[in-house]
């Protein structure tokens, strides 16, 4: 593999450093089976990269919500909004042959992290207000 330029962006570096063929399964099955496995894993790797970028964009948006809420004294969580989101995502999951239970758990996992961020943003905001007065 060619050496990377020292200023290569982090995403290029991550891709460069990734051993897409890393596996504990070498020698456990026929070469054709392992070749097919490698090919399917290429798709999995593309999807995982897209998921990371999608989540990064989602968290950028929720950070903005956190700042807005903190500036206006709004609570971190919004249970009615969450209920509506979960109902929608469960239905979308079912129609896409994804387990709705998994979709709900996944969304709740993300939302609990978002709420943790919002609480931290709100505490920072309050501390800054206290320091200024
Ligand atoms: C992002 C928000 O804050 C919280 C996080 C949510 C989310 O991650 O989608 C949804 C509702 C809130 O509990 C919001 O109120 O829109």
């Amino acid at each position: 593999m060619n050496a990377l330029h020292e200023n290569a962006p982090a995403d290029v570096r991550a891709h460069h450093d990734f051993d897409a063929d890393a596996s504990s399964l070498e020698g456990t099955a026929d070469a054709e089976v392992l070749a097919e496995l490698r090919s399917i894993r290429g798709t999995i790797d593309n999807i995982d990269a897209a998921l990371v970028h999608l989540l990064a964009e989602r968290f950028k948006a929720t950070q903005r919500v956190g700042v807005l809420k903190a500036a206006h004294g709004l609570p971190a969580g919004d249970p009615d909004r969450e209920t509506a989101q979960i109902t929608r995502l469960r239905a979308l999951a079912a129609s896409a042959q994804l387990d709705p239970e998994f979709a709900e758990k996944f969304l709740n996992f993300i939302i609990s992290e978002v709420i943790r961020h919002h609480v931290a943003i709100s505490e920072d905001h309050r501390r800054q207000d206290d320091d200024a007065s």
Side-chain angles (χ1 to χ4, degrees):
M1 184 79 74
N2 290 334
L4 268 189
H5 189 276
E6 60 181 37
N7 293 330
D11 57 338
V12 173
R13 188 168 294 282
H15 187 66
H16 178 270
D17 292 345
F18 176 51
D19 179 2
D21 292 334
S23 174
S24 309
L25 303 178
E26 266 341 297
T28 62
D30 288 350
E32 305 95 86
V33 173
L34 294 177
E36 185 177 356
L37 181 62
R38 239 191 319 273
S39 164
I40 303 169
R41 283 178 172 177
T43 299
I44 293 170
D45 290 337
N46 285 343
I47 293 170
D48 287 348
L51 278 177
V52 163
H53 287 108
L54 287 172
L55 280 171
E57 287 304 306
R58 192 183 197 282
F59 274 95
K60 279 185 207 167
T62 55
Q63 285 297 103
R64 292 175 59 196
V65 171
V67 170
L68 192 66
K69 284 177 172 174
H72 298 278
L74 297 171
D78 185 340
D80 286 353
R81 160 90 175 148
E82 291 172 26
T83 301
Q85 287 169 288
I86 286 164
T87 303
R88 181 175 83 117
L89 277 202
R90 284 189 68 107
L92 283 177
S95 77
Q97 280 91 52
L98 177 70
D99 179 4
E101 281 299 306
F102 172 76
E104 178 169 352
K105 270 195 257 173
F106 184 61
L107 188 63
N108 276 330
F109 178 63
I110 293 171
I111 290 176
S112 60
E113 182 68 7
V114 170
I115 289 176
R116 210 172 58 77
H117 293 179
H118 286 186
V119 168
I121 293 168
S122 152
E123 283 167 0
D124 273 359
H125 193 270
R126 207 163 302 148
R127 229 170 281 128
Q128 278 163 22
D129 273 0
D130 289 351
D131 290 350
S133 62

